[in-house]
Amino acid sequence: MYSPSKSSYQIYLENELRKEELRSEMARLEAEAQLRAEREERERQERIEEELRIQEEIRQERIAEEIRQERLAEELRLERLRREREYEEDLKRRQYEEELRQIRIEREIRQIQLERELEEIRMSRIGGSPYGSPSKYSSP
């Protein structure tokens, strides 16, 4: 029986083949690691972008709410001013109406006084009393 021993050249070739397999495996592992690192970086960037997008949405919502609050406050101020103006106008109108009423009353009183004075003057010219016939007040 013949058992051929491996020649040093065959051992060398096997070692080179093993080295090449190891290099290939290392390159594959490095490529996988690179792809994994790139994927993780991409996912990290996507998370950052999503967080930034959410923060921007929150910021815009906050600004929109501030604008709504300012508009509401302005509407309330305008409503208060409108009510104050209406109140002042109503107060002036009532004062004006009261002044007119007083003027009418004074005019009516003055008219009555003038009518009485006129009646007294007429009666004094004819020798009577404005309150009845002259015989009524004459002595018996």
Side-chain angles (χ1 to χ4, degrees), residues 57-72:
E57 285 179 7
I58 291 170
R59 186 183 72 79
Q60 288 178 2
E61 288 173 7
R62 190 173 25 243
I63 289 170
E65 182 60 27
E66 288 174 6
I67 290 170
R68 281 191 293 276
Q69 292 296 325
E70 288 174 3
R71 285 182 183 161
L72 179 60

Side-chain angles (χ1 to χ4, degrees), residues 42-114:
R42 194 171 43 251
E43 290 171 352
R44 187 182 74 78
Q45 285 296 336
E46 289 172 357
R47 285 191 304 272
I48 289 172
E49 289 171 4
E50 179 67 12
E51 182 62 29
L52 290 174
R53 187 189 61 76
I54 291 170
Q55 288 176 1
E56 180 62 19
E57 285 179 7
I58 291 170
R59 186 183 72 79
Q60 288 178 2
E61 288 173 7
R62 190 173 25 243
I63 289 170
E65 182 60 27
E66 288 174 6
I67 290 170
R68 281 191 293 276
Q69 292 296 325
E70 288 174 3
R71 285 182 183 161
L72 179 60
E74 183 63 21
E75 288 175 12
L76 291 174
R77 278 192 295 274
L78 291 174
E79 179 65 20
R80 181 180 48 81
L81 290 173
R82 184 187 62 77
R83 286 183 186 164
E84 287 176 1
R85 186 182 64 240
E86 286 176 355
Y87 174 77
E88 290 171 2
E89 289 172 356
D90 186 53
L91 184 61
K92 286 178 184 178
R93 182 186 49 79
R94 282 196 243 150
Q95 288 172 343
Y96 176 74
E97 289 172 354
E98 180 61 24
E99 288 174 8
L100 283 178
R101 192 178 71 75
Q102 288 296 326
I103 290 170
R104 284 187 196 117
I105 291 171
E106 289 171 4
R107 189 174 59 209
E108 288 176 13
I109 291 172
R110 183 68 181 141
Q111 181 70 30
I112 292 170
Q113 288 173 344
L114 289 174

Side-chain angles (χ1 to χ4, degrees), residues 6-26:
K6 291 185 180 178
S7 70
S8 55
Y9 182 69
Q10 286 177 327
I11 294 173
Y12 169 77
L13 288 178
E14 288 175 359
N15 285 340
E16 285 301 311
L17 182 61
R18 204 169 316 155
K19 283 181 189 176
E20 190 55 38
E21 288 173 350
L22 288 174
R23 279 190 209 114
S24 177
E25 182 66 14
M26 284 294 290

